[in-house]
Amino acid sequence: MSEWSRQERFQAILSGERADRPIVSGWRHFIDREQNADDLAETTIAFTKQYDWDWVKINPRATYLAEAWGNEYDFGHYRTVFPQQLTTVVPAASNLWQLEVKKATQSAPLLEQLEAVAKIRRGLPDTPLIQTVFSPLTVLLFIVGRSAYVYPTVFGIEQPVSLDSLFKEHRAAAHHALHAISLTLADYVQELQRAGSDGLFYAVTGTAHPGMFDESLFNEFSRPYDSIVLDAASYGKNVLHTCGTHAHPERFNDYPVDGISWDTKAEGNPGLEAAVTATKVGGVDHALFATNDVAQIQQQASEALNLMKDQPFILAPNCAIPLNVTDEALVKLQKSVFEGEIPV
C-alpha cells in the first residue's frame, strides 16, 4: 500500500488488522471552552492540529447527557471536570417514572453537541472522530445526582437517592427510566452519524466496579440498554471505555464494539496482556501527565508498543488527561508511535 491515510489506519486497526504503524491520540477537558458548540469545536480542532493526533475522541462537558432531561449546573464552579449540580429532575426514586424519551433534534443540549460535531468535521475533514456517549446506566446516575464511580456523590448534591432505592425498591421504575434514556441515546447516535461522527467512545464509566454493581446487577441494569445504544451505532467504529479500578474489560468481549479502553495501571485491572477480543486502546497511565513525568510516559509508551508490536493497537492514555498537562508530555506521547514504525 502507498502511504496510509488517517482514515485507513483507523479503520484497519479497529477492524482487527495491522496498519503501517499503531495510531495515537490523547484527550482532555477544556472546562472554560465546553459550554457551547463553537468553543468546543474550535478548541478540539486546535488541540488536534497542535499535536497532530491520528484520531479524535471528542470530549464534551461531562454533564451534557443529563442536561437533556432538565438537570441544571453552575458552569462557573467546577470540581475537577464536573460543574456544580444545581437541580435534578429525579429527587426521589419514584420520580423515575417521569423520565421520557427525547428526540435529539428537539433537545437543546443534544443539538448543541450535534452542531459541535458538524463543526469539528468541517474543521478536520480527513481525521477520524468519535463522540463520547455515556451508557444509559451512567446517565441515570448523573441525572439523580450520584457519581457513576464508587464514591457516592457529585459536586452540588450532598444526599443523593440511594442505590438500593433506585435499583431494588423502585426496580421497575429504574427499568422504565433506563429504557427511555437508551431510546433517546439511540436516536442521538443516529443523528451523530449525519453530523459526521465515525462512531462512539462509549463509556460505562465505573459501573463495572463490584462496589457499584455486582455482575448480576450490571447484567440487568446495563447490558440490555447498552445493546440498544450500540446497535444504533453499528454504522461506525466504536471504542468502549470501562473506567477506574476493578473495571473488568474482559466482561465486554461479547459487546459489539471494535476497541476496548481501560486503565491498565489501576488496582484490580489486567494490563495490556488482558484476554480481550477487541482492539486494545491505552497503555499509558493518565496520571503521569499531571506530574509531567516525561520519562515514565516514554517508558510506558515504549513498553506498550513493544508488547503490542504484532497486534493492531491504539496508543493512548488510560483515561482523560488531567487538566494541568504540559505541552512536553503530550508531544512525547504523540512522537512515541514514530520511534519504531512497523514495516508492512
Side-chain angles (χ1 to χ4, degrees):
M1 178 183 284
S2 58
E3 184 175 354
W4 292 63
S5 70
R6 283 185 171 89
Q7 279 286 357
E8 287 168 338
R9 288 191 186 100
F10 182 80
Q11 294 292 327
I13 288 173
L14 284 171
S15 296
E17 303 167 5
R18 290 177 64 199
D20 58 334
R21 62 169 174 83
I23 57 176
V24 62
S25 189
W27 50 89
R28 53 160 295 186
H29 284 274
F30 293 88
I31 60 175
D32 58 339
R33 300 279 292 171
E34 64 178 18
Q35 283 79 50
N36 62 73
D38 285 343
D39 284 352
L40 178 60
E42 290 170 6
T43 299
T44 302
I45 292 165
F47 182 63
T48 303
K49 289 181 175 180
Q50 180 177 357
Y51 297 102
D52 197 25
W53 299 125
D54 288 314
W55 59 285
V56 179
K57 172 202 179 294
I58 302 173
N59 233 43
R61 60 184 179 273
T63 57
Y64 87 97
L65 291 170
E67 292 169 42
W69 279 270
N71 277 20
E72 296 178 339
Y73 298 86
D74 180 355
F75 299 112
H77 294 89
Y78 274 77
R79 181 179 294 166
T80 64
V81 300
F82 291 95
Q84 183 178 10
Q85 185 166 342
L86 300 176
T87 65
T88 171
V89 295
V90 184
S94 57
N95 295 103
L96 290 169
W97 291 109
Q98 298 171 15
L99 294 189
E100 298 178 346
V101 179
K102 305 287 186 180
K103 292 290 291 182
T105 56
Q106 297 172 14
S107 165
L110 299 183
L111 272 173
E112 177 191 310
Q113 295 303 317
L114 292 170
E115 181 183 349
V117 171
K119 289 177 180 291
I120 295 167
R121 171 50 70 212
R122 290 194 292 271
L124 299 170
D126 303 317
T127 303
L129 59 93
I130 59 177
Q131 171 66 310
T132 301
V133 172
F134 294 128
S135 73
L137 181 55
T138 290
V139 175
L140 176 59
L141 291 169
F142 284 164
I143 287 173
V144 304
R146 288 197 66 92
S147 170
Y149 304 90
V150 289
Y151 49 88
T153 64
V154 298
F155 182 31
I157 305 294
E158 297 303 322
Q159 293 183 313
V161 60
S162 71
L163 291 178
D164 280 351
S165 181
L166 287 168
F167 300 109
K168 293 183 180 179
E169 298 166 17
H170 295 269
R171 197 180 220 106
H175 279 294
H176 162 82
L178 288 164
H179 192 232
I181 293 168
S182 64
L183 292 178
T184 301
L185 296 186
D187 179 66
Y188 170 58
V189 163
Q190 290 288 303
E191 295 295 337
L192 283 173
Q193 181 184 21
R194 287 184 269 275
S197 179
D198 293 302
L200 304 183
F201 188 89
Y202 187 76
V204 299
T205 60
T207 54
H209 192 295
M212 289 277 307
F213 297 94
D214 62 29
E215 188 168 4
S216 175
L217 286 174
F218 183 90
N219 289 344
E220 178 180 350
F221 290 107
S222 194
R223 274 184 171 270
Y225 307 106
D226 296 333
S227 294
I228 292 171
V229 182
L230 289 170
D231 283 350
S234 61
Y235 59 82
K237 294 298 184 184
N238 301 307
V239 175
L240 183 142
H241 178 66
T242 176
C243 195
T245 60
H246 301 279
H248 298 285
E250 70 287 345
R251 180 179 293 178
F252 303 95
N253 278 343
D254 61 345
Y255 270 49
V257 295
D258 308 286
I260 179 75
S261 162
W262 76 99
D263 191 341
T264 60
K265 308 299 181 182
E267 177 187 354
N269 289 350
L272 285 173
E273 73 283 354
V276 299
T277 54
T279 296
K280 295 169 183 176
V281 180
V284 180
D285 186 353
H286 56 288
L288 296 174
F289 293 88
T291 58
N292 194 33
D293 194 338
V294 176
Q296 275 294 307
I297 292 169
Q298 182 176 25
Q299 179 178 336
Q300 288 190 9
S302 297
E303 290 172 351
L305 291 165
N306 184 60
L307 179 66
M308 299 299 297
K309 63 183 179 181
D310 297 322
Q311 302 175 48
F313 179 56
I314 298 178
L315 182 70
N318 287 334
C319 199
I321 296 168
L323 299 179
N324 60 341
V325 63
T326 65
D327 177 72
E328 182 183 16
L330 292 173
V331 168
K332 179 56 64 178
L333 175 69
Q334 191 274 341
K335 290 186 177 300
S336 296
V337 295
F338 299 100
E339 293 174 354
E341 294 191 6
I342 301 171
V344 176

